Amino acid sequence: MLNPPSPTAAAASVHAEGVSDDEFRAAMSRLAAGVVLVTAQEPPLDPDDPYAPGGEDAGMTATAFMSVSLDPPLVLVSLRTGSRMDDLLDEQPLWAVSVLAEHQRQIAGRFAMKGRVSDRLLFADLACDRGEVTGAPLIPDALAGLECRTEQRVEAGDHTLVIGRVLTARVPSTEGGPLLYYRGRYRHLG
């Protein structure tokens, strides 16, 4: 009977292209990325019953987020296939994005934790506004807030690329710079 590969061996696995998982992670960690909070509201449990409880809010921190097109206004977020947010956005086409400011590191960390608590607890003491169109939570003092509707989903390796049409965009008069992610840590311009 063969022993299964150790976690170290699995992490160091080399793909047909010749690059290992560790080499790829190390190279990509050198790319600074902005940090956003992607949010959505679960659909009601029973849409035909006006007294049925509404769905919970859900959120996740993302660094793989980008503008795709100006006309029409499109953005893209990359989600781990099978994650809670991937499953939710497969069912719920309306979602929102808050572009986090450097002073919002705690929010980013809260929604990025592995084995985290329920989304209900994560949102419990967090000040949020509701998107006018999506109903999704938006962070009021974020650098920018976008409300989106899914236009296309593209399977890409172990991730799903969700392309959304921007329905509303707001830029509050927030002071400070962006929150960045670089070499495995949150950073700020300075």
Side-chain angles (χ1 to χ4, degrees), residues 2 10 18 34 41 56 69 81 84-85 93 118 163 165 167 169-170:
L2 293 175
Q41 189 177 47
E56 272 190 10
S69 168
T81 301
R84 173 160 161 65
M85 189 60 69
S118 78
I163 300 169
R165 181 180 296 253
L167 305 173
R170 66 181 192 181

Side-chain angles (χ1 to χ4, degrees), residues 4-21:
S6 71
T8 306
S13 67
V14 176
H15 300 276
E17 294 77 15
V19 65
S20 74
D21 291 354

Side-chain angles (χ1 to χ4, degrees), residues 57-177:
D57 292 327
M60 67 160 270
T61 301
T63 56
F65 176 78
M66 63 182 279
S67 167
V68 173
S69 168
L70 182 60
D71 186 18
L74 299 174
V75 293
L76 176 148
V77 64
S78 179
L79 307 173
R80 187 175 28 82
T81 301
S83 67
R84 173 160 161 65
M85 189 60 69
D86 179 42
D87 291 344
L88 177 55
L89 294 190
D90 192 31
E91 180 183 353
Q92 165 62 279
L94 299 173
W95 44 284
V97 174
S98 296
V99 179
L100 298 180
E102 60 193 357
H103 69 275
Q104 296 171 319
R105 179 183 305 218
Q106 183 180 17
I107 294 171
R110 174 188 290 204
F111 285 91
M113 290 186 297
K114 290 184 177 148
R116 64 187 199 185
V117 298
S118 78
D119 283 296
R120 181 181 299 123
L121 294 175
L122 293 174
F123 281 103
D125 63 346
L126 186 63
C128 292
D129 293 335
R130 290 274 165 204
E132 300 167 20
V133 177
T134 63
L138 286 160
I139 305 301
D141 60 343
L143 294 178
L146 306 169
E147 291 187 90
C148 306
R149 181 186 65 235
T150 300
E151 292 280 306
Q152 186 176 3
R153 293 173 54 88
V154 179
E155 299 299 321
D158 58 3
H159 277 64
T160 303
L161 307 178
V162 179
I163 300 169
R165 181 180 296 253
V166 177
L167 305 173
T168 69
R170 66 181 192 181
V171 183
S173 59
T174 301
E175 296 294 320

